[in-house]
Amino acid sequence: MCSSDLGNYSLSWDNSRQTTNNAFANFSPQTRSAFAFRFEQPLARNFDIDSVRQQVLVGLKNREIADIDLQQTLATTSRTVRHAYWDLAFALASLQVQQQSLELAQESLRNTRARVDIGTTPPIDIVEAEAEVATRQEAVILAQAQIETSEDALRALIFNPTAPDFWTIRIEPTDIPRFEPAAVNLDGVIRTALDRRTDLLQSRKSLEANDVTIRFFRNQILPDVSASVDYGLSGLGGTQFLRGTGFPGPIVGQTTRGFGSVLGDIFTNAYPVWTVGLNVSYPLGSSVQQANLAKARVQYTQAQTQLKNQELQVAAQVRNAARQVSTNQQRVQTTRVSRELAERRLEAEQRKFAAGTSTSFVVFQAQRDLAVARNNELRAILDFNRSLVDLDTVQQAPLVATTR
C-alpha cells in the first residue's frame, strides 16, 4: 500500500496452484491468478493534512531552527574572538604606556644623580627616584604578563590545541586600539535586530511549527469521510472435471486450461469486478482531538505573548548597546583631553624643577598622573571598540546565550 497527497492506493497480484482429493471439487489441479487495485481518498479528515505530513512539516521547521542556532553560535563565537583580539591589542598598547612611564622615571633618576653630583640636590632624592623606577619596572612586568595571558586566551579561540606548536605561536595584532567616531542610527539598528535576531527567528519558527500542529488537530476533529474504489480481475484454469447427472455426478471426462489462458483472462480484462464505496464516521461527544486542539491553541497564544516580550527585550538590549557606544565615545573624548592636560602639566613641572621652583616628588606625581591618563584613554578606546562589537552582535544574536 502506498500513500500520497491524493490518498492511499494499493496494488496486488496473486497466483496459486492447488490440488485436492475432495470428491466435490471441479478442478484438480487448479490454477488461479488475481489482480486487485484499491484507491481510498479521505474527503474531510486527513484530506489536507495527516499525521505523516504534520511530522514532516514540523521536522522541516526544527531543521530550520537548528540552522538558526548554528548562526547564533557563529555570531557569539565571532564576538568572543573579536573581544579577545582587542584585549590583546590593549595589553600591547598598555605595555608601551608603562615603558614610556619607566623611561620618564629613569630620565628623572639620571637628572637627580647629576644634580646630586653638583650639589644642588640632596642625596636622599636619589632614593626616591630609584623607588619610583622600581615601581614602574613592576608595572612593566605586570603589563608583559597581561600580554601573555591575553595571547593565550586568543590562541585558544583561533588555533588547534592539538598542533605541536600551539603554545609557541606568536600573535601580533595588526590593528591597535583606535578611535573612529561612529554615528548610530538607533531606529535602523532596532529594525535590523527585530528582523535578524536569531532568538526571534527561532521563536517565529516555533510558532510556525505550532501553527502546523493546530492545523493538524483542527483537521482531526472533522468527520472521517472517505471514498474508495476497488477494481479486480481474475482468471481460473487447470484440469476441469466433466460430470454426469446427479450430485455430485460421476466424472465422465476432463478438460485442461493452461496458465497462459488464465493470464489471458487478466490481460484482456475478461472478468472485471469493481465496487465504489463511501464511508462516514463521526465520534459522539468530546474527543481527544478536540482536547489536543484546545491545548495547542493555548500554547500558540502563550508563544505569541512570549514573542512580543522577546521583541521588547531585544529593542531594550539594542538601545543599551547603542547607549554604550555613545557613552564610550564621550569617554574617549574626555580621557583624551585629560591625557593632553596631564602631558602639559608634566612639561610644566619639569620646567619648574629645572628652574628649582619644584620638587622631584611633584614631578614623579605628574608622571604617574600622565601614565594613569594614558591608560584611561586606552581603556576608553578599548571599551569603545568592544561596544561596537557588541552593537554589531546584538543585532544578530543575544549577547548572553539563551536556553530554549
Side-chain angles (χ1 to χ4, degrees):
M1 177 178 290
C2 299
S3 62
S4 67
D5 293 342
L6 298 177
N8 301 320
Y9 63 91
S10 62
L11 296 172
S12 64
W13 190 342
D14 297 325
N15 296 289
S16 63
R17 184 178 185 278
Q18 178 181 353
T19 60
T20 181
N21 58 3
N22 187 350
F24 298 96
N26 292 324
F27 283 87
S28 182
Q30 174 182 284
T31 57
R32 181 180 180 85
S33 182
F35 170 80
F37 169 77
R38 178 178 177 81
F39 176 77
E40 185 175 10
Q41 172 63 59
L43 301 179
R45 185 188 302 174
N46 295 328
F47 175 76
D48 183 54
I49 187 172
D50 56 16
S51 60
V52 175
R53 281 176 283 179
Q54 183 230 359
Q55 293 174 8
V56 170
L57 293 174
V58 172
L60 291 175
K61 295 302 177 183
N62 289 335
R63 187 184 68 177
E64 293 174 359
I65 290 175
D67 292 339
I68 295 172
D69 188 63
L70 175 60
Q71 297 175 11
Q72 177 172 309
T73 301
L74 293 175
T76 53
T77 301
S78 174
R79 171 180 178 252
T80 303
V81 172
R82 292 161 73 183
H83 276 187
Y85 176 88
W86 286 122
D87 288 342
L88 177 58
F90 169 78
L92 291 169
S94 180
L95 175 62
Q96 294 179 356
V97 170
Q98 301 303 331
Q99 289 174 336
Q100 291 173 352
S101 180
L102 175 61
E103 291 172 358
L104 288 175
Q106 291 172 338
E107 182 181 359
S108 296
L109 176 60
R110 288 193 296 269
N111 293 336
T112 300
R113 284 174 175 169
R115 288 176 177 274
V116 170
D117 290 341
I118 63 178
T120 58
T121 299
I124 191 63
D125 287 354
I126 294 179
V127 176
E128 181 182 8
E130 289 177 341
E132 194 67 28
V133 169
T135 299
R136 298 182 189 179
Q137 285 175 337
E138 179 189 10
V140 169
I141 293 172
L142 293 176
Q144 291 172 335
Q146 184 59 43
I147 290 175
E148 295 179 357
T149 300
S150 299
E151 192 175 36
D152 286 345
L154 182 58
R155 180 186 292 112
L157 291 170
I158 63 178
F159 292 115
N160 183 5
T162 61
D165 58 346
F166 176 73
W167 294 110
T168 58
I169 297 176
R170 305 303 302 175
I171 303 176
E172 298 181 1
T174 57
D175 296 329
I176 61 174
R178 61 187 184 279
F179 174 64
E180 296 179 0
V184 178
N185 181 359
L186 185 58
D187 292 336
V189 294
I190 290 178
R191 286 194 301 269
T192 300
L194 293 177
D195 291 338
R196 297 171 52 192
R197 271 283 289 256
T198 53
D199 50 346
L200 295 181
L201 293 177
Q202 288 174 337
S203 297
R204 289 167 184 152
K205 292 298 180 182
S206 296
L207 271 177
E208 294 175 5
N210 290 343
D211 186 63
V212 171
T213 302
I214 291 176
R215 176 184 163 198
F216 169 69
F217 287 133
R218 187 187 298 118
N219 177 268
Q220 293 303 295
I221 65 175
L222 297 176
D224 187 4
V225 181
S226 61
S228 60
V229 176
D230 293 276
Y231 187 81
L233 297 170
S234 63
L236 186 64
T239 300
Q240 182 180 9
F241 301 129
L242 301 178
R243 295 181 179 273
T245 59
F247 181 80
I251 299 175
V252 297
Q254 63 183 25
T255 62
T256 301
R257 194 164 189 265
F259 187 65
S261 300
V262 174
L263 295 179
D265 292 340
I266 298 294
F267 289 112
T268 59
N269 198 21
Y271 306 105
V273 177
W274 58 271
T275 59
V276 176
L278 181 66
N279 299 319
V280 179
S281 64
Y282 187 78
L284 298 177
S286 301
S287 64
V288 176
Q289 288 80 5
Q290 290 174 327
N292 290 336
L293 176 60
K295 180 181 178 180
R297 283 174 172 168
V298 171
Q299 292 176 341
Y300 186 82
T301 302
Q302 292 175 342
Q304 283 182 316
T305 303
Q306 183 180 3
L307 177 60
K308 292 179 180 179
N309 291 335
Q310 278 186 297
E311 291 174 346
L312 181 61
Q313 293 173 5
V314 166
Q317 292 171 8
V318 173
R319 287 176 60 86
N320 182 63
R323 189 180 303 115
Q324 289 298 321
V325 172
S326 177
T327 299
N328 291 328
Q329 186 166 285
Q330 296 177 33
R331 282 179 55 206
V332 172
Q333 296 169 347
T334 302
T335 55
R336 178 165 293 177
V337 173
S338 297
R339 187 258 305 163
E340 293 172 351
L341 293 175
E343 290 176 345
R344 292 169 58 184
R345 177 172 177 264
L346 176 59
E347 293 175 357
E349 292 298 334
Q350 287 175 333
R351 287 195 298 267
K352 290 167 64 178
F353 181 76
T357 58
S358 183
T359 63
S360 59
F361 175 80
V362 176
V363 173
F364 288 141
Q365 184 61 49
Q367 291 176 354
R368 288 193 291 268
D369 292 343
L370 176 58
V372 171
R374 285 173 173 171
N375 264 327
N376 288 341
E377 182 184 9
L378 278 176
R379 172 58 63 180
I381 293 175
L382 172 67
D383 291 342
F384 173 73
N385 283 280
R386 288 172 65 100
S387 63
L388 288 177
V389 173
D390 288 345
L391 180 60
D392 180 59
T393 304
V394 80
Q395 299 175 62
Q396 306 174 54
L399 299 182
V400 179
T402 57
T403 57
R404 302 182 64 256

